[in-house]
Amino acid sequence: MPRLFIAIDFSDEIKYRFEHLRVDIPGAKWVFNKQIHLTLAFLGDVENALVPRLTESLDKIHSPPFQLQHAGTGCFPDPKRPRVLWAGFEPQPLLNRLVAKIRTAVMTYGIPQDSRAMVPHVTLARIKAPAVCELNTFLHQSKAALPPVEVHEFILFESRLTSGGAVHSVVQTFKLDS
Ligand code: 2AM
């Protein structure tokens, strides 16, 4: 059964800019550049037989292309116990609508989805217990560090868990309406 998620991928140039947000934090495991993405929906393990029906439904989703504006860096769940270091984006109603449509399509197949509002973020690192001052350097970077991102498509990815970490591969790309 493939382990699936739906995400926005970035150009090499944008991924390179994300790389510049890295700070030397002991214990931080930075996401490989080529794996940087913005998760729109996590599906988990999906029956093989369901995948063609799922892609058919995703293909029927209509959304105009949109722009995402970098909104600085942050961490989950909070700066006292950081587990995930991320780069965020300003609220974008078209992104919210796209995520709502994706969630609806996915739930049609009995795949549960988060009912909470999505926090648009790109996970840059996973971390255990950093020194606070180094975390602050990461958290207080300029919002101007990244140019706007033009979004023209979303992608269904398979994530294979290997001993060397997760390996992502494209199952199908879905173009937004132009
Ligand atoms: P995140 O880093 O933005 O939270 C591929 O595995 C992506 O799916 C991850 O980068 C992660 O996105 C998200 N993901 C992984 N496991 C998940 C889970 N159990 N629940 C929700 N999202 C998950």
Side-chain angles (χ1 to χ4, degrees):
M1 275 204 281
R3 181 176 185 268
L4 303 177
F5 68 100
I6 295 167
I8 291 169
D9 199 7
F10 301 100
S11 66
D12 289 345
E13 189 216 330
I14 297 286
K15 288 181 182 178
Y16 177 74
R17 301 290 278 268
F18 279 127
E19 196 175 87
H20 280 257
L21 297 175
R22 289 182 188 179
V23 167
D24 192 12
I25 300 176
K29 211 172 157 216
W30 296 91
V31 175
F32 289 124
N33 238 15
K34 62 175 183 192
Q35 293 207 345
I36 285 177
H37 60 268
L38 168 58
T39 305
L40 302 181
F42 179 73
L43 282 62
D45 293 331
V46 174
E47 295 281 352
N48 268 310
L50 217 54
V51 178
R53 290 163 61 203
L54 178 66
T55 55
E56 205 177 300
S57 295
L58 293 173
D59 205 27
K60 287 187 183 136
I61 289 177
H62 289 286
S63 163
F66 52 86
Q67 203 178 61
L68 291 175
Q69 204 79 40
H70 181 49
T73 44
C75 64
F76 289 143
D78 66 67
K80 286 199 187 114
R81 292 174 299 129
R83 289 290 172 268
V84 167
L85 306 186
W86 48 263
F89 294 102
E90 298 288 353
Q92 166 51 277
L94 291 173
L95 172 68
N96 293 345
R97 268 180 242 157
L98 175 61
V99 169
K101 287 175 186 177
I102 289 173
R103 285 178 174 175
T104 302
V106 166
M107 287 190 296
T108 308
Y109 299 100
I111 302 168
Q113 288 295 287
D114 207 333
S115 57
R116 293 171 301 181
M118 180 220 194
V119 179
H121 72 278
V122 171
T123 295
L124 296 179
R126 294 186 173 83
I127 195 166
K128 293 224 164 99
V132 171
C133 58
E134 289 142 337
L135 179 67
N136 281 340
T137 309
F138 173 78
L139 293 176
H140 294 114
Q141 302 187 74
S142 164
K143 288 187 187 182
L146 277 168
V149 176
E150 304 289 342
V151 181
H152 296 282
E153 61 188 31
F154 65 92
I155 298 175
L156 177 64
F157 282 101
E158 176 174 0
S159 171
R160 275 184 300 110
L161 301 176
T162 72
S163 53
V167 178
H168 299 163
S169 54
V170 174
V171 177
Q172 194 166 323
T173 299
F174 304 90
K175 299 280 176 205
L176 301 184
D177 311 329
S178 47

